Amino acid sequence: MSAPKMLPALAGGLFIGVLSSLPYIKGGNVCCCLWVVSGGILAAWMMQQNTPRPITVGEGAVVGLLSGLAGTMVWIAIAIVLMFVFSRTPFDLGDFQRAMTEGGRDVPPEAREALENLSPAVILVVGGVIWAFVSMVFATIGGLLGALIFRKKGGPASGVPSAPPPAFTPPTFTPPAPIVPPPPFAPPPPSPPPAPPMDVAPPAVDVAPPPVRPPIDLPPPSAWPAPPTDDPYVGDAPTIMIPARGPMLPPSPKPPAPPAPPPGAVPPPDREPDSH
C-alpha cells in the first residue's frame, strides 16, 4: 500500500514557501538552501508518522520533490501578494538588476538596456522558474535524508528480512471414543450340593466290667503298734513344709480314681495320721 504523500507534501511546501519569503529569515537559504532541505525532511517525517510500515527511500524522494513544488507555489503566491499590496517582492529587484548589469558587461548595449527595463512581473516569472528548479532539487535531497533518518526499524524497507507470520492452522476436532456399556449382570453359578455323608463305623468301645480285685486283709486296730511315748513332739501341731520359690511347674495330673470295691468287700479302717 502506498504511503500518503499529499498532506506531508503540503506541510513541507508551506514550511519552504513561508520561511523563504520572510525578511531576514529567508537568508537561511544561503546556507545550502537550509529551509528547502528542512522542508523535504519535514515531509518525509510526516509521511512516516502516518504510515505503519517503514517508508522507502524512493517514497521519501517523491514526497520531497512534491514538497519542493508546493513550496514554489507558496513562494510565488506570497510574492504576488507582496508585489501588489506592498509593492515589493520576496527578493530585491535592485539587487537583481545590478547583478544582471555587472554580469552582462560583455552583453551588447541593446540587450543590457532590455534587461534593465524588465518589469517586476517578468522578473517574478523568471525568478519563479529558477526557484522551482532549485527548490525541487534540494527538497528531494531533504526527502531522501528524512526517509533514511526517520523510517521505522525492521520490515521490508530496512533490508532486514522479517519472519513471515505463522500460518493459521485450524484446530482439528477429534470425536471422543464411544463409551462401551458394561457387560450385563450374570448371577454367579450355584454352589454344588454337599457331598453325601460317608458310612463310617463307630469306634469300638470296651464296655466290659473292670476286673474284680481281691479284698485286702488288714489286721484289726487293736493289733496295731502303739505310738512311742518318748517322742518330744507328740501332741504338737504338724510341721508345714513351705517350698522355696522356684520355677512354676505345670500342675501334676490327677491320679486316676481308685476302682470301686467289689460288692461285699469290707472297707479299710480309718488310719490316724502320723505325728512328727
Side-chain angles (χ1 to χ4, degrees):
M1 183 180 65
S2 178
K5 302 179 181 64
M6 185 57 64
L7 183 61
L10 291 177
L14 185 63
F15 180 87
I16 294 171
V18 171
L19 293 184
S20 298
S21 302
L22 295 176
Y24 304 107
I25 297 177
K26 64 183 179 180
N29 284 330
V30 177
C31 181
C32 300
C33 293
L34 176 63
W35 304 132
V36 181
V37 175
S38 300
I41 295 176
L42 175 64
W45 176 79
M46 289 189 63
M47 184 173 63
Q48 179 61 84
Q49 296 301 315
N50 297 328
T51 307
R53 61 171 180 83
I55 62 174
T56 62
V57 177
E59 291 174 338
V62 171
V63 75
L65 178 65
L66 294 178
S67 65
L69 182 60
T72 302
M73 299 300 178
V74 174
W75 182 85
I76 293 176
I78 295 176
I80 293 174
V81 172
L82 292 177
M83 185 173 59
F84 285 100
V85 176
F86 301 100
S87 299
R88 57 181 301 180
T89 58
F91 55 89
D92 192 352
L93 293 177
D95 294 340
F96 179 76
Q97 290 176 352
R98 283 193 299 270
M100 296 293 294
T101 302
E102 293 176 359
R105 290 178 181 178
D106 298 334
V107 179
E110 296 81 5
R112 185 185 307 171
E113 183 179 359
L115 291 174
E116 291 177 354
N117 296 327
L118 286 176
S119 64
V122 175
I123 295 176
L124 181 61
V125 172
V126 174
V129 172
I130 298 174
W131 178 251
F133 176 77
V134 173
S135 178
M136 287 189 293
V137 170
F138 283 91
T140 302
I141 296 175
L144 289 171
L145 294 177
L148 292 174
I149 295 172
F150 298 112
R151 70 180 177 184
K152 297 178 181 179
K153 305 298 180 182
S158 64
V160 180
S162 58
F168 174 73
T169 304
T172 57
F173 174 74
T174 304
I179 300 176
V180 179
F185 174 75
S191 59
M198 299 178 62
D199 296 336
V200 180
V205 180
D206 188 7
V207 293
V212 179
R213 298 179 62 184
I216 300 174
D217 187 10
L218 296 176
S222 58
W224 293 354
T229 58
D230 56 352
D231 189 358
Y233 299 103
V234 174
D236 292 344
T239 303
I240 301 174
M241 303 298 292
I242 301 175
R245 180 178 293 277
M248 300 297 294
L249 300 177
S252 59
K254 294 182 179 181
V266 178
D270 295 336
R271 185 178 176 181
E272 296 180 359
D274 295 338
S275 60
H276 295 284

